[in-house]
Amino acid sequence: MKTVTVYDIAKEANVSVATVSRVLNNTAPVKKETRDRITELINKYQFQPNALARSLSKKETGMIGIILPDITNPFFPEVLSGFDREARDNGYTYFLCDTVSANGDMADQYGRESQYLSALSEKQVDGIVMLGGRVDLAKPREELTSEVLEIGKRVPVLLINGDLPGTSLHRVCIDERLGAELATRHLIELGHRDIAIVGGYPHMRNTIQRTAGAVKTMQQYGLKVRKEWVLGDGFSVESGVGFIRQLLEQRERPTAVFCMNDLVAIGVMKGAYKAGLSVPGDLSIVGYDDIPFASASTPELTTVSLKANELGRTAAQILHQLISKEKVRKTSILQPELVVRETTAPR
Amino acid sequence: MKTVTVYDIAKEANVSVATVSRVLNNTAPVKKETRDRITELINKYQFQPNALARSLSKKETGMIGIILPDITNPFFPEVLSGFDREARDNGYTYFLCDTVSANGDMADQYGRESQYLSALSEKQVDGIVMLGGRVDLAKPREELTSEVLEIGKRVPVLLINGDLPGTSLHRVCIDERLGAELATRHLIELGHRDIAIVGGYPHMRNTIQRTAGAVKTMQQYGLKVRKEWVLGDGFSVESGVGFIRQLLEQRERPTAVFCMNDLVAIGVMKGAYKAGLSVPGDLSIVGYDDIPFASASTPELTTVSLKANELGRTAAQILHQLISKEKVRKTSILQPELVVRETTAPR
DNA sequence: GTGAAAGCGCTAACAC
DNA sequence: GTGTTAGCGCTTTCAC
């Protein structure tokens, strides 16, 4: 079953391939009569132009690459979904490049990012968006940065909620500090003075910023930030369970805990239950991200919405503008929002 | 900044493009000396072969398309993650085609599937996998089927947990009936006799099969299946909340409920709490899918694992074989597994 | 309004 | 071992 090409259509229609191409792309007027003849043949043979050939000559593919760490982390599908919608509407189709997921082997995460980066570049994608992974690092190694910078010269690169110091790549972010402030202030206004801050990784920008926001707010209100109530290393449910256990082992206990993300918050909640505490009766908990589970748990989780969907949507818009060579400002910052639900209560 | 091509490399190395191509693909022996010279230039210019051109001439792209309804539904990232891992290892990169997500506009879901189907085909993907959407329909419209069949003639198509009656497309599935049997039997063995079956959509194959499995099992044990305890139309948390409300309004109440998926189960659990019931004290609940949240909730959800990850992994394997023109059996069936956690207890 | 022909960048016979 | 050259299937000047 030979695949039919513009030549086949052209021949049978007694025109040149140029004309076929013209009706295909509506790129120049064609006499209605010939146009109809061609259209008919196209339908007859179910002709589908080869996108590879087209892209090769047009030097644009309508393909985008999106590199992220783990689609299994519910935060990412949310931004992806916003991104998808917008990108789709603009006629793009995208490669999903997951650098960790499944094998859970973080070890070579950055190596995999590099592989994808060059694979995408070879595939001539029109644009690349990165989130998580190296762009989350507070101090990425030099090569990690320069590599992206190099790619960025050939194709638009957009960072979501990340940065690569010194590159001035385009990025769309959430105001992380503000999010943390919102959460902390909420707790304080409920009368809490003994607040723990748990989760995250000290080498990640988001953790640093969120922690800074929380600490600053507590200090503004004259609250003391206790070292032993600031626990790190983990973004998972399990780590959350561990954090609350550590907290409960101490002589003095906090009455509220601000978690670096919702997964940790869920873990903390689980751990609290197992320890016989009631939430929010004995312990108020606020998360961060507002993943779907946040509203599915019982009690429903009070959290900070990162506007994941909007983040993705905005990213797609900006990337599109970048690809269209429109002027775009380097950094777009979205405002997070506190979502008060059921895990927080007056002290 | 002109992009460098094999010609540039060839010229500077004083060889022909053929030789460059040879070292690029290791497709024929090249004298070490010339090889080194070429390799050096490749590095010097950071030369990256244009995958479009390569694919155009080789007639293979290393690209796969995967069409699914909603990446925001936690079941899908799980299978995607298994798929990703395996596909990546085999050198594929894939387009994620989400047909619902974000806008939540189910209305034109099938239309979007069609669009993606032809977009992928034009992009010359090496294979396509479909899950959810039309392949979940018990009785898909004729065009929905024939369209896929048509595409299937030009490129391998694999269905995950779905089918298109009369097409004999390759597919990898879970034994849905068995899963439902496992769940139901578990409940019965705990002493429950009043079991409700809630969630799903009557026009979907999985719902039909799961319901059939549950009903059959109940009958085997001589239990009565009450019409008013079989509630449909919904796979969401909200629908679950609605189902339990309906159940509790009735004069006689079930002591256990088998849910069509975990989201519904979570909703049922929420609703039960709001109504002042304790789980599993007053009501045992079992879900279906084993999404990550199933083990994160409190109490942790007893559910049937669909082996989502394995489903994805297997799909990638089989698709690879299909692409490599190896012999593969049409249907692969995976066994589900009951995961007993905390939402089920003796009557 | 339409055609001829030169690319786009790579691979793969085939010849030497 | 290496070079020549004809594709792969489409777009796009430039003529007419």
Side-chain angles (χ1 to χ4, degrees):
Chain A
M1 191 168 91
K2 186 184 171 308
T3 82
V4 4
T5 74
V6 276
Y7 284 93
D8 303 321
I9 303 286
K11 190 181 328 168
E12 191 161 340
N14 280 314
V15 295
S16 74
V17 291
T19 304
V20 176
S21 175
R22 288 186 186 107
V23 348
L24 237 28
N25 303 287
N26 229 296
T27 181
V30 173
K31 195 174 10 161
K32 177 165 187 338
E33 189 180 300
T34 43
R35 167 185 300 276
D36 287 347
R37 193 149 26 101
I38 292 174
T39 314
E40 197 162 316
L41 288 169
I42 288 178
N43 291 330
K44 172 177 170 191
Y45 291 111
Q46 301 258 59
F47 169 66
Q48 296 190 303
N50 182 321
L52 294 177
R54 167 179 301 180
S55 298
L56 183 58
S57 91
K58 292 189 58 161
K59 288 173 166 313
E60 66 175 53
T61 57
M63 309 189 304
I64 291 176
I66 175 161
I67 303 181
L68 49 74
D70 181 8
I71 192 62
T72 259
N73 175 332
F75 174 68
F76 296 112
E78 209 59 38
V79 356
L80 202 55
S81 134
F83 181 86
D84 180 287
R85 170 64 191 285
E86 186 73 22
R88 178 208 295 160
D89 286 352
N90 288 319
Y92 296 102
T93 163
Y94 62 93
F95 291 110
L96 177 60
C97 305
D98 188 310
T99 57
V100 178
S101 181
N103 54 9
D105 161 25
M106 310 276 301
D108 199 31
Q109 170 170 199
Y110 305 130
R112 241 167 278 134
E113 286 181 350
S114 300
Q115 290 171 16
Y116 277 129
L117 240 17
S118 66
L120 290 174
S121 164
E122 289 183 9
K123 289 204 159 41
Q124 314 297 118
V125 294
D126 289 341
I128 296 180
V129 1
M130 300 182 72
L131 66 165
R134 72 176 69 177
V135 305
D136 265 356
L137 263 23
K139 297 192 196 310
R141 291 199 315 272
E142 165 57 17
E143 326 89 76
L144 296 185
T145 297
S146 58
E147 178 185 39
V148 178
L149 204 52
E150 205 57 38
I151 299 269
K153 289 180 189 163
R154 319 195 346 74
V155 35
V157 173
L158 178 62
L159 312 184
I160 296 187
N161 234 17
D163 194 7
L164 249 14
T167 58
S168 82
L169 286 165
H170 285 260
R171 45 201 213 99
V172 19
C173 305
I174 270 290
D175 187 336
E176 298 277 16
R177 293 179 80 103
L178 177 58
E181 287 175 28
L182 258 26
T184 313
R185 192 173 311 138
H186 171 60
L187 254 14
I188 295 174
E189 286 173 351
L190 284 173
H192 293 280
R193 304 187 58 76
D194 301 311
I195 303 174
I197 302 173
V198 309
Y201 290 101
H203 59 89
M204 288 174 64
R205 183 176 312 102
N206 58 12
T207 304
I208 294 175
Q209 293 177 335
R210 291 174 195 177
T211 304
V215 167
K216 184 186 125 203
T217 308
M218 287 175 67
Q219 286 171 168
Q220 277 175 352
Y221 282 84
L223 301 190
K224 186 176 158 209
V225 178
R226 308 201 191 191
K227 276 251 165 40
E228 65 279 20
W229 286 358
V230 180
L231 270 25
D233 278 346
F235 267 134
S236 65
V237 175
E238 296 73 42
S239 69
V241 175
F243 296 143
I244 184 68
R245 185 173 314 148
Q246 286 181 58
L247 250 20
L248 297 182
E249 278 168 358
Q250 301 179 204
R251 155 152 287 121
E252 300 199 77
R253 296 176 171 185
T255 62
V257 16
F258 169 50
C259 304
M260 281 314 183
N261 76 354
D262 289 346
L263 260 18
V264 166
I266 289 170
V268 167
M269 186 155 38
K270 279 187 72 156
Y273 281 138
K274 304 253 172 194
L277 298 184
S278 95
V279 176
D282 301 320
L283 188 73
S284 282
I285 298 175
V286 17
Y288 207 104
D289 281 358
D290 195 23
I291 59 178
F293 291 163
S295 54
S297 70
T298 309
E300 296 180 9
L301 189 64
T302 292
T303 187
V304 175
S305 169
L306 278 198
K307 308 276 194 62
N309 209 283
E310 194 176 332
L311 220 39
R313 211 173 55 236
T314 309
Q317 272 168 204
I318 294 185
L319 190 59
H320 177 54
Q321 292 170 187
L322 245 29
I323 293 173
S324 313
K325 306 211 180 302
E326 295 175 28
K327 283 255 172 303
V328 198
R329 69 168 166 303
K330 288 281 183 190
T331 305
S332 308
I333 307 233
L334 303 187
Q335 304 298 309
E337 219 167 66
L338 180 68
V339 184
V340 178
R341 287 199 269 248
E342 308 170 339
T343 54
T344 46
R347 165 160 201 162
Chain B
M1 190 167 88
K2 186 184 171 303
T3 84
V4 5
T5 74
V6 276
Y7 284 93
D8 303 321
I9 303 285
K11 191 182 322 168
E12 191 161 339
N14 280 313
V15 297
S16 76
V17 292
T19 304
V20 176
S21 175
R22 288 186 186 109
V23 348
L24 238 30
N25 302 288
N26 229 297
T27 182
V30 173
K31 196 177 5 164
K32 178 167 190 335
E33 188 180 301
T34 43
R35 166 185 300 275
D36 287 347
R37 193 148 27 100
I38 293 174
T39 314
E40 198 163 315
L41 288 169
I42 289 179
N43 291 329
K44 172 176 169 193
Y45 291 111
Q46 303 258 58
F47 169 66
Q48 297 190 303
N50 183 321
L52 293 176
R54 168 179 302 183
S55 297
L56 183 57
S57 91
K58 292 190 57 163
K59 289 177 167 310
E60 67 175 52
T61 57
M63 308 188 306
I64 291 177
I66 175 160
I67 304 179
L68 48 75
D70 182 8
I71 192 62
T72 259
N73 176 332
F75 174 69
F76 295 111
E78 210 58 40
V79 356
L80 201 55
S81 135
F83 181 85
D84 180 286
R85 170 63 191 288
E86 186 73 21
R88 178 208 295 159
D89 287 351
N90 288 319
Y92 296 103
T93 163
Y94 61 93
F95 292 110
L96 177 61
C97 305
D98 188 310
T99 57
V100 178
S101 181
N103 54 10
D105 161 25
M106 309 279 299
D108 198 30
Q109 171 170 198
Y110 306 130
R112 242 167 277 134
E113 287 180 349
S114 299
Q115 290 171 16
Y116 277 129
L117 240 16
S118 68
L120 291 173
S121 164
E122 290 184 7
K123 289 204 160 38
Q124 314 296 120
V125 295
D126 289 341
I128 296 178
V129 2
M130 300 183 74
L131 66 166
R134 72 177 69 177
V135 305
D136 266 356
L137 262 23
K139 297 193 195 312
R141 291 200 315 270
E142 165 59 15
E143 326 90 76
L144 296 185
T145 298
S146 57
E147 179 185 38
V148 178
L149 204 52
E150 205 57 39
I151 298 270
K153 288 181 190 162
R154 319 195 345 75
V155 34
V157 173
L158 178 62
L159 312 183
I160 296 187
N161 234 17
D163 195 7
L164 249 15
T167 58
S168 81
L169 286 164
H170 285 259
R171 46 201 212 98
V172 19
C173 304
I174 271 289
D175 187 336
E176 299 277 16
R177 291 180 81 106
L178 176 58
E181 286 175 29
L182 258 26
T184 312
R185 193 173 311 139
H186 170 61
L187 254 15
I188 295 175
E189 286 171 352
L190 283 172
H192 294 281
R193 304 187 58 77
D194 301 312
I195 303 175
I197 302 173
V198 309
Y201 289 102
H203 59 88
M204 289 174 64
R205 185 176 309 102
N206 56 13
T207 304
I208 295 175
Q209 292 178 334
R210 293 174 194 178
T211 305
V215 167
K216 184 186 124 203
T217 308
M218 288 176 67
Q219 286 171 168
Q220 277 175 352
Y221 281 84
L223 301 189
K224 187 177 160 209
V225 178
R226 306 200 192 190
K227 274 255 166 38
E228 65 279 23
W229 286 357
V230 179
L231 270 24
D233 278 346
F235 267 132
S236 65
V237 175
E238 297 71 43
S239 69
V241 175
F243 295 143
I244 184 68
R245 184 172 314 146
Q246 286 180 58
L247 249 19
L248 297 181
E249 278 168 359
Q250 300 179 205
R251 156 152 287 121
E252 299 198 76
R253 296 176 171 185
T255 62
V257 16
F258 168 51
C259 304
M260 280 316 190
N261 76 354
D262 289 345
L263 260 18
V264 167
I266 289 167
V268 168
M269 185 153 42
K270 279 187 74 155
Y273 282 138
K274 306 252 172 191
L277 298 186
S278 97
V279 175
D282 301 320
L283 188 72
S284 282
I285 299 176
V286 18
Y288 208 105
D289 280 359
D290 195 23
I291 59 177
F293 192 55
S295 55
S297 70
T298 308
E300 296 180 8
L301 189 64
T302 292
T303 187
V304 175
S305 169
L306 276 199
K307 309 276 194 62
N309 209 281
E310 193 176 334
L311 220 38
R313 212 171 57 235
T314 309
Q317 273 167 204
I318 294 184
L319 190 58
H320 176 54
Q321 292 169 190
L322 245 29
I323 292 173
S324 313
K325 305 212 179 303
E326 295 174 28
K327 283 257 172 302
V328 198
R329 68 169 166 300
K330 288 281 183 188
T331 306
S332 307
I333 307 232
L334 302 187
Q335 303 299 309
E337 218 167 66
L338 180 69
V339 183
V340 178
R341 287 200 269 248
E342 308 170 338
T343 54
T344 45
R347 165 162 201 161

